[in-house]
Amino acid sequence: AMLCAGSVRQKNVQNTMLKNLLDACGAAIGFWSFGFALAYGGDDDNHFMNKQAYESSRTFVGDNYFFLMEFEHYAVWLFQFAFAATSATIVAGTLAERCQMTAYLMYSFLLTGFVYPVVVHSVWSGRGFLSPLGMDPLFGTGMLDFAGSGVVHLTGGCTALIATMILGPRKGRFYHERTGEVIMKPQRVKGHSMSLQVLGTFILWFGWYGFNAGSTFTITGSAQAGSVASLAGVCTTLAGAAGCVTSLCYSTYRTERLTGEATFDLVYALNGCLSGLVSITAGCALVEPWAALVIGVIAGLIYCLASDLLVRFKIDDAVDAIPVHMCNGVWGCLAVGLLANPTRVQHAYSSFATSDGTTTDAIAGLFYSWYHNESDFSLLGAQVVGMLFIIGWVLVIMTPFFLALSYAGWFRSDPLEEIVGLDISYHGGNAYHMDYGNGDYGDGNSSVGHLCDIDAEIDCDVEMDMHGKIMGEKEQSYDGTGMRTEQYEIEGNEW
């Protein structure tokens, strides 16, 4: 919520934060009623606590635990609910500043109640066809996604891409607000608070330790459980740090080459950090620390290149969630297929443990296979199949859903509502209430809601009071010093 709120303009802060709150609320209800049952219905304690092999036939979805009936391990549900809410909130940032509340509620419930649980069941349930925990897993390995690069982040990122392509960009981002003509240089919409963005990133980084290290489910269940959790924490730290530094260096070098002056872009550093965290999520307990550093470096570069690619194709992502979550979710899954250490895999998944306690080279990344003079693509192939299934499943379900919302007129906000800000349009006022003193439109007591931040680099046509009444048109020009001046025409008087 903090990251999204800081990344939008001041006129949309309240709306963005409410949507993040509704993510948690909608995910709780949807995952309690249907989602958890479809994801894990039928799994037993050995699967939940020890990641042991599950002797049962493969199923597409779970078949019991609806409304948590006959399920007593409430801590497991609470932990899995957090993953479901995370997958849903990825889309909130991408669609910020232009999506209707009704559409958002409907999408959030569908994703956490049906789309995401099917992906979870396929990969993490003992009875899923991609699961490494079932009998005779795919290619002998199954898809290894320890904490959710594919299951959580790729699912949410793909949904975000589909939604924003159907929803369209924000006013003034790629097309002129009034004429609709293509803008030669796309306008960068700056968030109103870097402090909130930094705060949100630190909170997410801290929470990632709960996701990655917590995915061991226990630190006392086996002899290796504690070392698995600690390795996950170390790899998480290194990948996030490497992604941050790499993105910052890339953006600094690029701006220096383009403008002749080096600038250090904090947004690139923050998103690079998140990209590294996303990419290591699948393999945090399966790779060595040095490999985590390499994964983070590549993740930082992927973010920078993918972000530029979105702009080139005129795809508007308000918080760059698609490059961070979708693109690096893909890279995180591939990285496991390349760099997974067979010893780490055995420790993390007890279903791969041999009777004499030794490891097997069959469950190893491609690079480790080459080291032993082999060319075993089994794990990499399983990772690719898993990613294709996730992308295809999300595409098939969410594309017609968003198209239907758009056709019904329930998806995008009204153009005037978008211009004046969703806080005023949907919530009756701005998130920040400021006293402008005497002289504001006459009596000095009115609280005026400004529509645009000057730093947003997008001109705004109208000015409104707290109740949504248009006060007048605003004309902008530049004086001889290069500073922007503003004039307001109100009832024939110049202000």
Side-chain angles (χ1 to χ4, degrees):
M2 296 297 100
L3 179 62
C4 289
S7 299
V8 301
R9 287 166 289 183
Q10 183 176 326
K11 62 182 181 179
N12 297 307
V13 173
Q14 190 175 179
N15 181 264
T16 298
M17 297 190 75
L18 178 59
K19 287 177 178 176
N20 278 269
L21 176 62
L22 293 178
D23 270 330
C25 298
I29 297 173
F31 205 63
W32 166 75
S33 56
F34 303 105
F36 186 80
L38 296 177
Y40 291 108
D43 286 10
D44 60 11
D45 293 347
N46 285 331
H47 162 68
F48 285 122
M49 306 311 297
N50 299 316
K51 295 186 185 296
Q52 294 179 355
Y54 192 84
E55 299 182 7
S56 179
S57 60
R58 303 290 184 175
T59 58
F60 184 67
V61 293
D63 53 10
N64 63 344
Y65 301 152
F66 290 96
F67 302 97
L68 291 186
M69 292 187 295
E70 302 178 1
F71 185 78
E72 298 296 333
H73 298 286
Y74 294 132
V76 173
W77 178 89
L78 187 64
F79 184 68
Q80 295 298 331
F81 147 73
F83 283 87
T86 299
S87 183
T89 198
I90 292 171
V91 190
T94 299
L95 306 183
E97 301 193 305
R98 61 198 189 279
C99 180
Q100 291 190 37
M101 293 295 298
T102 303
Y104 189 82
L105 289 171
M106 296 173 65
Y107 125 78
S108 182
F109 190 83
L110 175 64
L111 184 65
T112 57
F114 180 60
V115 177
Y116 169 78
V118 171
V119 176
V120 171
H121 185 84
S122 300
V123 181
W124 285 345
S125 169
R127 301 191 296 170
F129 80 98
L130 294 170
S131 175
L133 305 176
M135 304 304 295
D136 191 22
L138 180 67
F139 302 150
T141 66
M143 182 182 184
L144 301 185
D145 187 359
F146 190 78
S149 287
V151 174
V152 178
H153 298 282
L154 181 56
T155 300
C158 286
T159 305
L161 177 62
I162 296 169
T164 192
M165 292 181 68
I166 296 174
L167 185 63
R170 287 166 289 180
K171 296 292 183 182
R173 180 73 167 99
F174 301 114
Y175 303 94
H176 195 277
E177 289 183 0
R178 296 178 178 176
T179 64
E181 297 178 353
V182 176
I183 300 175
M184 296 304 297
K185 183 180 179 180
Q187 298 296 313
R188 180 179 179 182
V189 183
K190 295 182 179 179
H192 84 287
S193 174
M194 293 303 303
S195 300
L196 289 178
Q197 294 181 56
V198 174
L199 175 62
T201 301
F202 272 117
I203 293 174
L204 286 173
W205 194 346
F206 181 77
W208 234 285
Y209 293 111
F211 276 0
N212 289 3
S215 291
T216 60
F217 289 106
T218 177
I219 59 174
T220 59
S222 66
Q224 301 296 337
S227 64
V228 171
S230 60
L231 175 65
V234 170
C235 290
T236 300
T237 304
L238 292 176
C244 174
V245 174
T246 302
S247 295
L248 181 61
C249 291
Y250 175 89
S251 65
T252 302
Y253 174 78
R254 187 183 64 174
T255 55
E256 193 276 333
R257 299 301 296 173
L258 292 176
T259 65
E261 182 178 353
T263 58
F264 299 90
D265 195 323
L266 179 57
V267 173
Y268 271 86
L270 297 176
N271 286 331
C273 177
L274 295 177
S275 297
L277 295 171
V278 169
S279 65
I280 197 59
T281 301
C284 58
L286 310 177
V287 301
E288 295 295 328
W290 66 264
L293 193 72
V294 173
I295 292 172
V297 168
I298 297 176
L301 293 175
I302 290 175
Y303 161 71
C304 295
L305 298 175
S307 180
D308 294 340
L309 194 63
L310 287 185
V311 175
R312 176 166 296 187
F313 284 99
K314 295 181 173 56
I315 298 175
D316 188 14
D317 186 346
V319 298
D320 267 350
I322 296 170
V324 170
H325 296 278
M326 189 190 81
C327 297
N328 280 292
V330 170
W331 163 235
C333 294
L334 291 176
V336 172
L338 297 173
L339 297 168
N341 185 318
T343 303
R344 301 299 186 184
V345 172
Q346 181 198 19
H347 292 167
Y349 292 90
S350 56
S351 58
F352 292 138
T354 56
S355 57
D356 59 357
T358 61
T359 63
T360 172
D361 291 336
I363 314 301
L366 181 61
F367 292 161
Y368 278 89
S369 175
W370 286 347
Y371 179 77
H372 293 284
N373 297 319
E374 299 177 357
S375 297
D376 189 351
F377 287 83
S378 299
L379 180 56
L380 183 60
Q383 299 296 103
V384 172
V385 171
M387 290 187 300
L388 292 177
F389 166 74
I390 294 172
I391 294 172
W393 171 248
V394 174
L395 185 68
V396 167
I397 301 299
M398 300 308 295
T399 299
F401 172 75
F402 285 125
L403 286 174
L405 287 179
S406 180
Y407 179 79
W410 296 345
F411 199 13
R412 177 138 192 166
S413 300
D414 181 81
L416 181 59
E417 293 177 344
E418 182 180 343
I419 291 174
V420 301
L422 302 185
D423 283 2
I424 292 177
S425 302
Y426 292 158
H427 310 292
N430 289 329
Y432 303 104
H433 301 284
M434 301 179 182
D435 183 7
Y436 288 90
N438 294 329
D440 287 345
Y441 300 123
D443 59 8
N445 296 320
S446 60
S447 180
V448 180
H450 288 271
L451 303 183
C452 289
D453 299 314
I454 298 301
D455 291 337
E457 298 182 1
I458 293 181
D459 291 344
C460 192
D461 297 329
V462 293
E463 187 80 8
M464 303 179 69
D465 66 6
M466 290 295 293
H467 303 288
K469 177 183 177 183
I470 296 179
M471 303 300 296
E473 295 186 355
K474 177 173 66 176
E475 298 179 357
Q476 297 181 340
S477 61
Y478 292 85
D479 60 16
T481 64
M483 299 296 292
R484 176 151 55 184
T485 60
E486 301 174 354
Q487 291 183 337
Y488 297 85
E489 295 289 341
I490 303 176
E491 296 180 355
N493 297 321
E494 183 174 305
W495 180 69

mmCIF file of all heavy atoms in Angstrom, residues 116-151:
data_model
loop_
_atom_site.group_PDB
_atom_site.id
_atom_site.type_symbol
_atom_site.label_atom_id
_atom_site.label_comp_id
_atom_site.label_asym_id
_atom_site.label_seq_id
_atom_site.Cartn_x
_atom_site.Cartn_y
_atom_site.Cartn_z
ATOM 1 N N TYR A 116 -5.764 -18.037 -9.199
ATOM 2 C CA TYR A 116 -4.545 -18.313 -8.436
ATOM 3 C C TYR A 116 -4.570 -19.689 -7.765
ATOM 4 O O TYR A 116 -3.563 -20.412 -7.808
ATOM 5 C CB TYR A 116 -4.333 -17.201 -7.407
ATOM 6 C CG TYR A 116 -3.269 -17.485 -6.392
ATOM 7 C CD1 TYR A 116 -1.916 -17.349 -6.710
ATOM 8 C CD2 TYR A 116 -3.601 -17.895 -5.096
ATOM 9 C CE1 TYR A 116 -0.932 -17.617 -5.772
ATOM 10 C CE2 TYR A 116 -2.628 -18.168 -4.159
ATOM 11 C CZ TYR A 116 -1.300 -18.025 -4.505
ATOM 12 O OH TYR A 116 -0.324 -18.296 -3.570
ATOM 13 N N PRO A 117 -5.665 -20.128 -7.143
ATOM 14 C CA PRO A 117 -5.675 -21.450 -6.506
ATOM 15 C C PRO A 117 -5.398 -22.604 -7.465
ATOM 16 O O PRO A 117 -4.773 -23.602 -7.070
ATOM 17 C CB PRO A 117 -7.087 -21.545 -5.913
ATOM 18 C CG PRO A 117 -7.480 -20.137 -5.669
ATOM 19 C CD PRO A 117 -6.896 -19.370 -6.803
ATOM 20 N N VAL A 118 -5.845 -22.513 -8.709
ATOM 21 C CA VAL A 118 -5.561 -23.584 -9.668
ATOM 22 C C VAL A 118 -4.061 -23.674 -9.929
ATOM 23 O O VAL A 118 -3.491 -24.770 -10.030
ATOM 24 C CB VAL A 118 -6.342 -23.347 -10.980
ATOM 25 C CG1 VAL A 118 -5.894 -24.326 -12.059
ATOM 26 C CG2 VAL A 118 -7.835 -23.482 -10.738
ATOM 27 N N VAL A 119 -3.406 -22.520 -10.036
ATOM 28 C CA VAL A 119 -1.950 -22.508 -10.213
ATOM 29 C C VAL A 119 -1.261 -23.104 -8.984
ATOM 30 O O VAL A 119 -0.320 -23.910 -9.101
ATOM 31 C CB VAL A 119 -1.451 -21.077 -10.481
ATOM 32 C CG1 VAL A 119 0.074 -21.053 -10.572
ATOM 33 C CG2 VAL A 119 -2.066 -20.519 -11.754
ATOM 34 N N VAL A 120 -1.721 -22.729 -7.813
ATOM 35 C CA VAL A 120 -1.153 -23.267 -6.576
ATOM 36 C C VAL A 120 -1.285 -24.781 -6.531
ATOM 37 O O VAL A 120 -0.328 -25.500 -6.206
ATOM 38 C CB VAL A 120 -1.832 -22.622 -5.348
ATOM 39 C CG1 VAL A 120 -1.396 -23.329 -4.073
ATOM 40 C CG2 VAL A 120 -1.491 -21.150 -5.267
ATOM 41 N N HIS A 121 -2.465 -25.277 -6.857
ATOM 42 C CA HIS A 121 -2.683 -26.727 -6.805
ATOM 43 C C HIS A 121 -1.765 -27.455 -7.790
ATOM 44 O O HIS A 121 -1.226 -28.522 -7.466
ATOM 45 C CB HIS A 121 -4.147 -27.034 -7.135
ATOM 46 C CG HIS A 121 -4.486 -28.490 -6.994
ATOM 47 N ND1 HIS A 121 -4.825 -29.063 -5.788
ATOM 48 C CD2 HIS A 121 -4.520 -29.498 -7.916
ATOM 49 C CE1 HIS A 121 -5.059 -30.358 -5.956
ATOM 50 N NE2 HIS A 121 -4.880 -30.638 -7.243
ATOM 51 N N SER A 122 -1.580 -26.880 -8.952
ATOM 52 C CA SER A 122 -0.768 -27.545 -9.974
ATOM 53 C C SER A 122 0.691 -27.661 -9.568
ATOM 54 O O SER A 122 1.354 -28.648 -9.894
ATOM 55 C CB SER A 122 -0.870 -26.780 -11.299
ATOM 56 O OG SER A 122 -2.206 -26.715 -11.752
ATOM 57 N N VAL A 123 1.206 -26.666 -8.843
ATOM 58 C CA VAL A 123 2.636 -26.624 -8.530
ATOM 59 C C VAL A 123 2.935 -27.031 -7.092
ATOM 60 O O VAL A 123 3.886 -27.787 -6.836
ATOM 61 C CB VAL A 123 3.205 -25.215 -8.800
ATOM 62 C CG1 VAL A 123 4.703 -25.166 -8.504
ATOM 63 C CG2 VAL A 123 2.937 -24.795 -10.237
ATOM 64 N N TRP A 124 2.159 -26.566 -6.144
ATOM 65 C CA TRP A 124 2.498 -26.761 -4.738
ATOM 66 C C TRP A 124 1.728 -27.882 -4.054
ATOM 67 O O TRP A 124 2.182 -28.394 -3.020
ATOM 68 C CB TRP A 124 2.268 -25.457 -3.968
ATOM 69 C CG TRP A 124 3.330 -24.435 -4.219
ATOM 70 C CD1 TRP A 124 4.546 -24.633 -4.792
ATOM 71 C CD2 TRP A 124 3.283 -23.041 -3.864
ATOM 72 N NE1 TRP A 124 5.266 -23.470 -4.834
ATOM 73 C CE2 TRP A 124 4.511 -22.465 -4.277
ATOM 74 C CE3 TRP A 124 2.333 -22.223 -3.271
ATOM 75 C CZ2 TRP A 124 4.807 -21.120 -4.094
ATOM 76 C CZ3 TRP A 124 2.621 -20.888 -3.087
ATOM 77 C CH2 TRP A 124 3.848 -20.340 -3.491
ATOM 78 N N SER A 125 0.591 -28.250 -4.564
ATOM 79 C CA SER A 125 -0.154 -29.338 -3.953
ATOM 80 C C SER A 125 0.520 -30.670 -4.258
ATOM 81 O O SER A 125 1.146 -30.834 -5.316
ATOM 82 C CB SER A 125 -1.598 -29.357 -4.471
ATOM 83 O OG SER A 125 -2.262 -30.544 -4.076
ATOM 84 N N GLY A 126 0.382 -31.621 -3.351
ATOM 85 C CA GLY A 126 0.952 -32.938 -3.591
ATOM 86 C C GLY A 126 0.289 -33.677 -4.736
ATOM 87 O O GLY A 126 0.841 -34.661 -5.245
ATOM 88 N N ARG A 127 -0.887 -33.199 -5.167
ATOM 89 C CA ARG A 127 -1.613 -33.884 -6.240
ATOM 90 C C ARG A 127 -1.623 -33.096 -7.544
ATOM 91 O O ARG A 127 -2.323 -33.462 -8.481
ATOM 92 C CB ARG A 127 -3.052 -34.159 -5.790
ATOM 93 C CG ARG A 127 -3.131 -35.014 -4.533
ATOM 94 C CD ARG A 127 -4.531 -35.496 -4.263
ATOM 95 N NE ARG A 127 -5.463 -34.417 -3.994
ATOM 96 C CZ ARG A 127 -6.785 -34.573 -3.912
ATOM 97 N NH1 ARG A 127 -7.314 -35.776 -4.101
ATOM 98 N NH2 ARG A 127 -7.559 -33.550 -3.656
ATOM 99 N N GLY A 128 -0.865 -32.016 -7.639
ATOM 100 C CA GLY A 128 -0.801 -31.224 -8.849
ATOM 101 C C GLY A 128 0.065 -31.870 -9.921
ATOM 102 O O GLY A 128 1.059 -32.539 -9.607
ATOM 103 N N PHE A 129 -0.259 -31.651 -11.178
ATOM 104 C CA PHE A 129 0.469 -32.337 -12.249
ATOM 105 C C PHE A 129 1.880 -31.774 -12.447
ATOM 106 O O PHE A 129 2.727 -32.430 -13.068
ATOM 107 C CB PHE A 129 -0.327 -32.251 -13.558
ATOM 108 C CG PHE A 129 -0.210 -30.954 -14.300
ATOM 109 C CD1 PHE A 129 0.667 -30.810 -15.359
ATOM 110 C CD2 PHE A 129 -0.982 -29.840 -13.928
ATOM 111 C CE1 PHE A 129 0.776 -29.615 -16.044
ATOM 112 C CE2 PHE A 129 -0.872 -28.641 -14.620
ATOM 113 C CZ PHE A 129 0.012 -28.534 -15.674
ATOM 114 N N LEU A 130 2.158 -30.573 -11.926
ATOM 115 C CA LEU A 130 3.495 -29.997 -11.997
ATOM 116 C C LEU A 130 4.276 -30.170 -10.701
ATOM 117 O O LEU A 130 5.450 -29.804 -10.628
ATOM 118 C CB LEU A 130 3.416 -28.502 -12.319
ATOM 119 C CG LEU A 130 2.878 -28.117 -13.694
ATOM 120 C CD1 LEU A 130 2.636 -26.616 -13.770
ATOM 121 C CD2 LEU A 130 3.846 -28.554 -14.789
ATOM 122 N N SER A 131 3.667 -30.720 -9.693
ATOM 123 C CA SER A 131 4.264 -30.771 -8.366
ATOM 124 C C SER A 131 5.432 -31.751 -8.306
ATOM 125 O O SER A 131 5.344 -32.868 -8.844
ATOM 126 C CB SER A 131 3.213 -31.172 -7.329
ATOM 127 O OG SER A 131 3.811 -31.337 -6.058
ATOM 128 N N PRO A 132 6.513 -31.374 -7.646
ATOM 129 C CA PRO A 132 7.615 -32.324 -7.424
ATOM 130 C C PRO A 132 7.328 -33.286 -6.278
ATOM 131 O O PRO A 132 8.111 -34.213 -6.048
ATOM 132 C CB PRO A 132 8.784 -31.409 -7.080
ATOM 133 C CG PRO A 132 8.147 -30.220 -6.427
ATOM 134 C CD PRO A 132 6.832 -30.027 -7.137
ATOM 135 N N LEU A 133 6.224 -33.073 -5.563
ATOM 136 C CA LEU A 133 5.923 -33.849 -4.367
ATOM 137 C C LEU A 133 5.069 -35.072 -4.651
ATOM 138 O O LEU A 133 4.929 -35.939 -3.799
ATOM 139 C CB LEU A 133 5.220 -32.967 -3.330
ATOM 140 C CG LEU A 133 5.970 -31.687 -2.942
ATOM 141 C CD1 LEU A 133 5.134 -30.854 -1.993
ATOM 142 C CD2 LEU A 133 7.315 -32.024 -2.324
ATOM 143 N N GLY A 134 4.463 -35.152 -5.823
ATOM 144 C CA GLY A 134 3.639 -36.302 -6.148
ATOM 145 C C GLY A 134 4.467 -37.461 -6.667
ATOM 146 O O GLY A 134 5.667 -37.347 -6.935
ATOM 147 N N MET A 135 3.834 -38.584 -6.821
ATOM 148 C CA MET A 135 4.507 -39.745 -7.377
ATOM 149 C C MET A 135 4.715 -39.544 -8.872
ATOM 150 O O MET A 135 3.854 -39.038 -9.576
ATOM 151 C CB MET A 135 3.672 -41.000 -7.117
ATOM 152 C CG MET A 135 3.357 -41.238 -5.637
ATOM 153 S SD MET A 135 4.840 -41.325 -4.609
ATOM 154 C CE MET A 135 5.607 -42.815 -5.272
ATOM 155 N N ASP A 136 5.905 -39.935 -9.360
ATOM 156 C CA ASP A 136 6.266 -39.804 -10.767
ATOM 157 C C ASP A 136 6.075 -38.368 -11.251
ATOM 158 O O ASP A 136 5.249 -38.086 -12.130
ATOM 159 C CB ASP A 136 5.427 -40.766 -11.616
ATOM 160 C CG ASP A 136 5.941 -40.864 -13.049
ATOM 161 O OD1 ASP A 136 7.132 -40.548 -13.263
ATOM 162 O OD2 ASP A 136 5.147 -41.221 -13.939
ATOM 163 N N PRO A 137 6.845 -37.416 -10.730
ATOM 164 C CA PRO A 137 6.698 -36.014 -11.133
ATOM 165 C C PRO A 137 7.102 -35.789 -12.585
ATOM 166 O O PRO A 137 7.788 -36.612 -13.201
ATOM 167 C CB PRO A 137 7.647 -35.274 -10.177
ATOM 168 C CG PRO A 137 8.647 -36.299 -9.772
ATOM 169 C CD PRO A 137 7.913 -37.605 -9.738
ATOM 170 N N LEU A 138 6.696 -34.669 -13.137
ATOM 171 C CA LEU A 138 6.972 -34.320 -14.524
ATOM 172 C C LEU A 138 8.471 -34.329 -14.796
ATOM 173 O O LEU A 138 9.249 -33.665 -14.104
ATOM 174 C CB LEU A 138 6.392 -32.933 -14.822
ATOM 175 C CG LEU A 138 6.583 -32.396 -16.242
ATOM 176 C CD1 LEU A 138 5.777 -33.223 -17.236
ATOM 177 C CD2 LEU A 138 6.168 -30.922 -16.314
ATOM 178 N N PHE A 139 8.884 -35.097 -15.808
ATOM 179 C CA PHE A 139 10.291 -35.237 -16.205
ATOM 180 C C PHE A 139 11.165 -35.725 -15.060
ATOM 181 O O PHE A 139 12.382 -35.541 -15.069
ATOM 182 C CB PHE A 139 10.852 -33.914 -16.747
ATOM 183 C CG PHE A 139 10.111 -33.359 -17.925
ATOM 184 C CD1 PHE A 139 10.051 -31.990 -18.144
ATOM 185 C CD2 PHE A 139 9.461 -34.204 -18.827
ATOM 186 C CE1 PHE A 139 9.377 -31.477 -19.233
ATOM 187 C CE2 PHE A 139 8.780 -33.691 -19.918
ATOM 188 C CZ PHE A 139 8.738 -32.337 -20.125
ATOM 189 N N GLY A 140 10.543 -36.328 -14.078
ATOM 190 C CA GLY A 140 11.289 -36.832 -12.937
ATOM 191 C C GLY A 140 11.647 -35.785 -11.911
ATOM 192 O O GLY A 140 12.254 -36.101 -10.885
ATOM 193 N N THR A 141 11.286 -34.533 -12.157
ATOM 194 C CA THR A 141 11.636 -33.453 -11.225
ATOM 195 C C THR A 141 10.425 -32.652 -10.777
ATOM 196 O O THR A 141 10.341 -32.255 -9.622
ATOM 197 C CB THR A 141 12.642 -32.494 -11.879
ATOM 198 O OG1 THR A 141 12.010 -31.823 -12.971
ATOM 199 C CG2 THR A 141 13.855 -33.251 -12.403
ATOM 200 N N GLY A 142 9.497 -32.407 -11.682
ATOM 201 C CA GLY A 142 8.422 -31.471 -11.389
ATOM 202 C C GLY A 142 8.942 -30.042 -11.440
ATOM 203 O O GLY A 142 10.141 -29.793 -11.616
ATOM 204 N N MET A 143 8.064 -29.085 -11.315
ATOM 205 C CA MET A 143 8.446 -27.680 -11.309
ATOM 206 C C MET A 143 8.846 -27.275 -9.894
ATOM 207 O O MET A 143 8.052 -27.397 -8.954
ATOM 208 C CB MET A 143 7.286 -26.806 -11.791
ATOM 209 C CG MET A 143 7.627 -25.326 -11.846
ATOM 210 S SD MET A 143 6.230 -24.314 -12.365
ATOM 211 C CE MET A 143 7.010 -22.684 -12.420
ATOM 212 N N LEU A 144 10.068 -26.784 -9.743
ATOM 213 C CA LEU A 144 10.562 -26.351 -8.434
ATOM 214 C C LEU A 144 10.390 -24.847 -8.306
ATOM 215 O O LEU A 144 11.093 -24.065 -8.946
ATOM 216 C CB LEU A 144 12.035 -26.731 -8.270
ATOM 217 C CG LEU A 144 12.386 -28.217 -8.372
ATOM 218 C CD1 LEU A 144 13.861 -28.442 -8.054
ATOM 219 C CD2 LEU A 144 11.513 -29.067 -7.462
ATOM 220 N N ASP A 145 9.443 -24.444 -7.509
ATOM 221 C CA ASP A 145 9.194 -23.026 -7.218
ATOM 222 C C ASP A 145 9.015 -22.917 -5.713
ATOM 223 O O ASP A 145 7.905 -22.993 -5.195
ATOM 224 C CB ASP A 145 7.948 -22.541 -7.970
ATOM 225 C CG ASP A 145 7.743 -21.040 -7.848
ATOM 226 O OD1 ASP A 145 8.559 -20.387 -7.173
ATOM 227 O OD2 ASP A 145 6.774 -20.516 -8.424
ATOM 228 N N PHE A 146 10.112 -22.732 -5.011
ATOM 229 C CA PHE A 146 10.107 -22.880 -3.565
ATOM 230 C C PHE A 146 9.162 -21.910 -2.879
ATOM 231 O O PHE A 146 8.437 -22.287 -1.959
ATOM 232 C CB PHE A 146 11.525 -22.702 -3.017
ATOM 233 C CG PHE A 146 11.662 -23.059 -1.566
ATOM 234 C CD1 PHE A 146 11.730 -24.386 -1.174
ATOM 235 C CD2 PHE A 146 11.719 -22.087 -0.588
ATOM 236 C CE1 PHE A 146 11.847 -24.726 0.161
ATOM 237 C CE2 PHE A 146 11.832 -22.414 0.747
ATOM 238 C CZ PHE A 146 11.901 -23.743 1.125
ATOM 239 N N ALA A 147 9.151 -20.639 -3.291
ATOM 240 C CA ALA A 147 8.332 -19.655 -2.582
ATOM 241 C C ALA A 147 7.491 -18.774 -3.497
ATOM 242 O O ALA A 147 6.842 -17.856 -3.009
ATOM 243 C CB ALA A 147 9.217 -18.771 -1.698
ATOM 244 N N GLY A 148 7.485 -19.016 -4.822
ATOM 245 C CA GLY A 148 6.466 -18.363 -5.625
ATOM 246 C C GLY A 148 6.869 -17.410 -6.724
ATOM 247 O O GLY A 148 6.061 -16.561 -7.092
ATOM 248 N N SER A 149 8.058 -17.505 -7.298
ATOM 249 C CA SER A 149 8.375 -16.648 -8.438
ATOM 250 C C SER A 149 7.373 -16.849 -9.568
ATOM 251 O O SER A 149 6.939 -15.892 -10.217
ATOM 252 C CB SER A 149 9.789 -16.942 -8.964
ATOM 253 O OG SER A 149 10.773 -16.452 -8.102
ATOM 254 N N GLY A 150 7.004 -18.100 -9.805
ATOM 255 C CA GLY A 150 6.025 -18.395 -10.837
ATOM 256 C C GLY A 150 4.611 -18.387 -10.314
ATOM 257 O O GLY A 150 3.720 -17.748 -10.883
ATOM 258 N N VAL A 151 4.381 -19.098 -9.219
ATOM 259 C CA VAL A 151 3.025 -19.264 -8.690
ATOM 260 C C VAL A 151 2.403 -17.932 -8.296
ATOM 261 O O VAL A 151 1.249 -17.646 -8.634
ATOM 262 C CB VAL A 151 3.045 -20.227 -7.489
ATOM 263 C CG1 VAL A 151 1.665 -20.292 -6.832
ATOM 264 C CG2 VAL A 151 3.485 -21.614 -7.930
#
